[in-house]
Amino acid sequence: MPHALLAVRVLAVQVLAVQALSAQLLAAVPPVVTVDRDNIVVRESCTLAFAPGPIADTDGNGVVHIEAPADGRAIVVDLGGGTLVGGTGAPDSHAGTGIAITGANITLRNGAVRGFKVGIHAEWCDGLVLEDLDTGGNYAQRLRSTPSAEAGDDWLFPHRNDEGEWTRAHGAGVSVRSARGVTLRRIASHGTQNGIILDRVTDSSIHDNDCSFLSGWGIAMWRSSRNTICRNRLIYCIRGYSHGVYNRGQDSAGLLMFEQCCDNLVALNSITHGGDGVFGFAGREALGEAPCPSSRIDFDDPHAWYRGRGCSANIFARNDLSFAAAHGLEMTFSTGNLVYRNTLEGNAICGIWGGYARDGAIVDNDFRGNGGAGYGLERGGANLEHAQRVRIAGNRFSDEPVSVHLWTDADEGLRALPWAKANGMGAEANTITGNLFTRIATPIELRAARGTRIAANRFVECARELVEVDCEGTVADAGRGASMENELAELATIAAGIEERLAQLPGTGDPTVSRVGTRGRADIVMGEFAPWNHRDLIVVPVAVKRGESLPAGTARFRVLGADGASSSGALEVEARANSAVATGGEALRATLRGEHADGGTVIEVSPSAPGEPRDAGTATPFTLRVRDTMRDASIAVEGVLVATSWSTRIAALDAGDAPRLPDVPSIEDVRRRAASDDAVVLTIPRLDLDRARGGPRQLAPDERGPRLPPDGPDRYCLTATTTIRCAPGLWRLVTESDDGIRVRLDGRTLIERWDIHGPTTDIAEFTTSGDAPVTIEVEYFQNSGAARLSVRLERP
């Protein structure tokens, strides 16, 4: 063959090879799909490119729909490092879903979704992989609780979710429903309400995620079992907290486990500064508050299905479960849970709350300084009501009011439920062995407990070792008998098995080695939608704690996130009235008042000069501006400066030999008692009363005279009247009450809740021209139990 012809053929072959290679390369590069409108459907691997500006989910089913192809191929969708934006308003205005995923073997990665009620929602999605995603900045409820008082409306109540109530009501960064074999890794979600919701998700791995600074739940699990939850950072997932004022938590948690979540491994997570660290509850179906599946009923043994039912056989290992508003770990009505080598420090009520625990073990944990703000019988390290066959062994307890507390009480309502009939009642057959107690007021306390075995514990600087009340069959043996040796050997074998599993965990991080903040629970600072992230500049009102007072006509704030700025003189503050009508033209001033005991710098806003006495008080809206010149960061917040006085009359509801008034007295009864000769007459600058700060005498702590307000916290009433000149425009009157309240404005009823109720917030709006003062009248009664009365003015 001629050389020229051979060269041509070789060249042709090379061209064909290059074309084939080019075709392969083109086929390997996924297409780019532009997302510039609602309802973009994706059924193949691709990269998404987002048009600038927000894209609303107009029909509520998702802006982007990723659907598994009909042939079952696995697909990968890459967000290209971009951000899908839904809304740009306040967090409670976000609506719809960003990305909706349906079908098996889908991977979504590399980008962000924000401004939606739900960032990413996936269902019927076995084999789903979500990785390297940011779902912060989605929906969050506007919180009504303030630094001064809790609002009962903020409670979450997560007891129902079979119809997807959690996601629908509370939103989520990521929501996964009805799936197995899921992998969620390196997902960040900050500054929203909920991070990751797992609804009937099994056999899955959730690791190396950061769901923190949320007002609800970091990771929430419903009927989800056999999962590995490890190496996650679930810190500051909280609401309902004001340090030194109230510690409620309101069912927020770093990790929520509800309704029969079993056989999960929860390990090496940092779950600190939450409402609870871990909040586990067997579930309404497990207890029998809702019917069990009809196909599972054994008519020969109706309670058989309930035996051992709950959130059972879970392992909690080497987590940091510290500084919760309530409990580090709450796991109730559940069986066979193992709590191993965790750190539980500074939890307000107790380290572990294990009501109705069965056949579990609490082994080799560090408990430090828990129970400083406990309620009733819950106040310390490991508190277990009606627990049976639980082993508490080899733990270290220090600096707590009581460390191990086991008790039985009546609980008549629970006694009637199928779970209690199947699993029994009472604290029975528990063991407390080989623990170290240091500086504990009461290391071990037993109440109506049966058959408790106590052995080989050590006590250092403890005034006493054991308190028993109405107990039977307690065996307290300081030695190490054969039975204890066998038990310790069994626990050592269990620990070795856990360590082997921990060595094989997925992921690489260990978030338990570092903490955010150095002041314990004092580092929890709530904003309007979420807790402070310990990074941004924030200004919050200062709460008035028990024994403290605030000068009349002033407002106090504290600024956080300006580290070093105040001491260096680099913190600039300015306050300006938004209207001159109410102040009579007075200027306002903002003054730095030093460091707050809980952190941050105190700013006081007040009139620049004392005003002349007037025939009415004033309510002046103002704007406080704060600038940190060191970081070139600034923030502006609005407030109302109220300078007024309340003419108040306080009296006990029941007088002398007169018949006792009803639990809910009539308004006429309250008026008559307040007008009686034995009523105490006060002129006070504000109505702000809370049982946590004492009885009604807190309204006038400095009063001296022959007659003082009732000292007791129960069965009293009051009437109060003030006249106030408000700046023109729309105003909001906000009351917090427990129990009955009625508020009138110029003789017109604005708020009336005249019954016995828990702490409740009521809001009414009114408009004023500013030409004439308005008169506000308050009538209130407290029956018994919790008490709250607050009346304040706000600008909407």
Side-chain angles (χ1 to χ4, degrees):
M1 181 182 296
H3 290 293
L5 180 59
L6 179 61
V8 169
R9 294 186 65 178
V10 170
L11 180 60
V13 170
Q14 290 174 339
V15 169
L16 291 173
V18 169
Q19 290 175 339
L21 179 59
S22 298
Q24 291 176 2
L25 291 174
L26 288 172
V29 176
V32 175
V33 175
T34 299
V35 179
D36 55 2
R37 63 190 184 279
D38 191 14
N39 291 319
I40 298 293
V41 178
V42 173
R43 296 191 181 95
E44 61 179 342
S45 295
C46 64
T47 297
L48 301 184
F50 301 111
I55 303 173
D57 179 14
T58 57
D59 50 12
N61 64 352
V63 171
V64 177
H65 301 259
I66 304 175
E67 301 173 356
D71 60 9
R73 286 178 294 112
I75 65 171
V76 177
V77 178
D78 195 306
L79 301 185
T83 301
L84 174 61
V85 179
T88 57
D92 59 342
S93 70
H94 296 328
T97 298
I99 298 176
I101 300 173
T102 308
N105 302 318
I106 294 172
T107 296
L108 178 69
R109 61 165 62 121
N110 185 29
V113 184
R114 61 180 172 84
F116 295 93
K117 186 73 173 281
V118 180
I120 301 168
H121 177 72
E123 59 184 359
W124 304 109
C125 50
D126 292 357
L128 173 73
V129 177
L130 301 180
E131 60 187 10
D132 300 308
L133 297 165
D134 187 338
T135 61
N138 288 293
Y139 174 85
Q141 173 190 359
R142 189 184 302 268
L143 302 174
R144 295 293 184 188
S145 297
T146 69
S148 296
E150 176 198 13
D153 297 345
D154 288 345
W155 279 85
L156 290 172
F157 299 110
H159 298 74
R160 290 177 172 84
N161 189 48
D162 274 327
E163 304 301 323
E165 289 91 338
W166 289 356
T167 300
R168 187 167 60 252
H170 306 300
V174 172
S175 172
V176 182
R177 189 177 190 192
S178 300
R180 65 185 301 273
V182 170
T183 300
L184 307 183
R185 59 191 173 213
R186 299 186 299 278
I187 296 171
S189 191
H190 287 191
T192 181
Q193 184 156 326
N194 300 316
I196 297 171
I197 290 179
L198 306 174
D199 181 348
R200 283 162 280 210
V201 174
T202 60
D203 305 292
S204 297
S205 176
I206 295 86
H207 63 87
D208 289 293
N209 302 292
D210 184 357
C211 300
S212 303
F213 308 107
L214 310 177
S215 61
W217 311 311
I219 296 175
M221 303 170 65
W222 175 267
R223 297 184 187 270
S224 295
S225 298
R226 302 184 304 279
N227 300 294
T228 297
I229 313 293
C230 70
R231 305 186 189 278
N232 299 289
R233 189 172 183 253
L234 310 174
I235 63 174
Y236 292 90
C237 298
I238 187 167
R239 59 173 59 197
Y241 188 81
S242 179
H243 191 64
V245 181
Y246 58 89
N247 58 297
R248 301 294 288 162
Q250 298 176 325
D251 284 354
S252 59
L255 174 61
L256 183 78
M257 303 174 70
F258 261 51
E259 195 64 78
Q260 302 168 68
C261 297
C262 303
D263 297 290
N264 298 287
L265 174 60
V266 179
L268 286 175
N269 302 285
S270 179
I271 315 181
T272 70
H273 301 86
D276 278 344
V278 178
F279 181 13
F281 172 62
R284 297 178 65 250
E285 182 185 77
L287 264 64
E289 294 177 333
C292 73
S294 58
S295 61
R296 305 295 298 277
I297 297 176
D298 182 345
F299 291 98
D300 295 326
D301 186 357
H303 298 136
W305 185 81
Y306 296 96
R307 292 196 182 96
R309 189 67 54 178
C311 290
S312 300
N314 298 291
I315 297 174
F316 302 92
R318 287 171 54 184
N319 303 284
D320 190 351
L321 305 174
S322 300
F323 308 123
H327 315 98
L329 169 62
E330 175 177 347
M331 186 60 65
T332 55
F333 303 97
S334 299
T335 300
N337 290 304
L338 175 59
V339 184
Y340 168 74
R341 287 193 67 187
N342 301 278
T343 298
L344 302 108
E345 178 182 3
N347 296 292
I349 299 178
C350 57
I352 295 177
W353 166 232
Y356 289 81
R358 298 289 183 270
D359 301 296
I362 300 171
V363 180
D364 197 12
N365 301 280
D366 282 306
F367 293 82
R368 300 192 292 266
N370 301 289
Y375 305 149
L377 297 180
E378 294 181 62
R379 57 184 196 285
N383 293 183
L384 288 78
E385 175 192 19
H386 290 266
Q388 296 182 4
R389 301 176 302 280
V390 175
R391 294 180 288 185
I392 303 172
N395 303 284
R396 294 157 296 282
F397 299 90
S398 62
D399 303 294
E400 295 172 336
V402 60
S403 285
V404 178
H405 191 188
L406 310 176
W407 75 91
T408 302
D409 55 13
D411 274 0
E412 295 299 337
L414 291 171
R415 191 177 297 273
L417 292 176
W419 191 96
K421 293 179 179 178
N423 296 283
M425 299 279 287
E428 184 173 338
N430 301 292
T431 62
I432 307 168
T433 56
N435 302 284
L436 172 63
F437 300 93
T438 304
R439 296 181 300 277
I440 309 296
T442 304
I444 302 171
E445 184 169 344
L446 309 176
R447 294 173 179 267
R450 301 185 299 272
T452 307
R453 188 164 67 88
I454 305 171
N457 300 288
R458 290 187 296 151
F459 305 89
V460 178
E461 298 180 46
C462 301
R464 51 188 173 181
E465 298 179 2
L466 171 65
V467 170
E468 289 188 89
V469 179
D470 298 328
C471 296
E472 298 178 8
T474 303
V475 176
D477 179 8
R480 296 171 64 102
S483 61
M484 180 181 171
E485 294 292 347
N486 292 336
E487 178 179 324
L488 293 177
E490 180 186 352
L491 292 174
T493 300
I494 293 172
I498 295 174
E499 291 293 347
E500 184 176 348
R501 291 185 64 182
L502 296 182
Q504 301 172 14
L505 289 175
T508 58
D510 183 0
T512 66
V513 299
S514 63
R515 290 175 172 174
V516 174
T518 59
R519 297 173 182 263
R521 296 194 313 278
D523 285 318
I524 301 170
V525 180
M526 293 304 303
E528 190 175 14
F529 295 98
W532 176 48
N533 62 13
H534 285 251
R535 183 182 67 249
D536 296 338
L537 199 66
I538 186 176
V539 177
V540 295
V542 170
V544 179
K545 300 181 181 180
R546 187 170 187 170
E548 297 178 343
S549 60
L550 183 66
T554 63
R556 282 184 183 158
F557 299 83
R558 58 180 174 138
V559 55
L560 299 110
D563 297 338
S566 58
S567 59
S568 66
L571 195 62
E572 298 176 349
V573 295
E574 178 189 39
R576 290 187 178 179
N578 297 340
S579 170
V581 173
T583 62
E586 289 176 355
L588 301 182
R589 63 180 176 184
T591 308
L592 298 176
R593 293 297 189 190
E595 184 178 358
H596 192 274
D598 296 333
T601 302
V602 176
I603 303 171
E604 185 172 283
V605 178
S606 61
S608 59
E612 294 296 324
R614 300 189 184 93
D615 59 353
T618 58
T620 306
F622 66 86
T623 299
L624 171 65
R625 291 182 172 83
V626 179
R627 183 167 180 259
D628 178 358
T629 60
M630 292 177 63
R631 299 194 326 177
D632 194 23
S634 60
I635 188 171
V637 296
E638 294 187 353
V640 176
L641 200 63
V642 177
T644 189
S645 60
W646 290 87
S647 298
T648 308
R649 299 181 67 91
I650 307 174
L653 277 175
D654 306 307
D657 297 330
R660 185 182 189 275
L661 292 175
D663 288 348
V664 180
S666 68
I667 288 179
E668 289 71 24
D669 287 334
V670 167
R671 290 174 179 169
R672 184 177 63 255
R673 290 295 304 125
S676 64
D677 291 340
D678 60 345
V680 176
V681 180
L682 299 174
T683 299
I684 54 179
R686 63 184 59 83
L687 285 180
D688 186 8
L689 180 151
D690 195 293
R691 187 186 181 107
R693 299 196 297 268
R697 194 167 295 179
Q698 70 187 262
L699 291 174
D702 299 325
E703 286 287 324
R704 299 290 183 269
R707 192 180 300 130
L708 295 173
D711 189 31
D714 297 329
R715 301 287 296 167
Y716 62 88
C717 63
L718 66 80
T719 61
T721 303
T722 191
T723 300
I724 189 166
R725 192 184 309 275
C726 302
L730 184 63
W731 285 86
R732 177 179 289 155
L733 185 69
V734 182
T735 66
E736 295 160 3
S737 63
D738 178 348
D739 291 304
I741 189 171
R742 185 171 81 162
V743 181
R744 293 184 294 174
L745 179 79
D746 289 339
R748 175 171 59 95
T749 299
L750 288 185
I751 293 172
E752 184 164 355
R753 190 178 292 274
W754 200 258
D755 57 15
I756 293 175
H757 54 266
T760 304
T761 301
D762 289 294
I763 299 172
E765 293 182 347
F766 64 94
T767 302
T768 177
S769 66
D771 296 330
V774 297
T775 298
I776 302 173
E777 301 170 90
V778 176
E779 293 153 323
Y780 167 81
F781 79 88
Q782 155 66 2
N783 181 41
S784 62
R788 178 67 185 146
L789 173 63
S790 172
V791 180
R792 67 179 186 271
L793 286 170
E794 297 178 350
R795 282 288 211 185

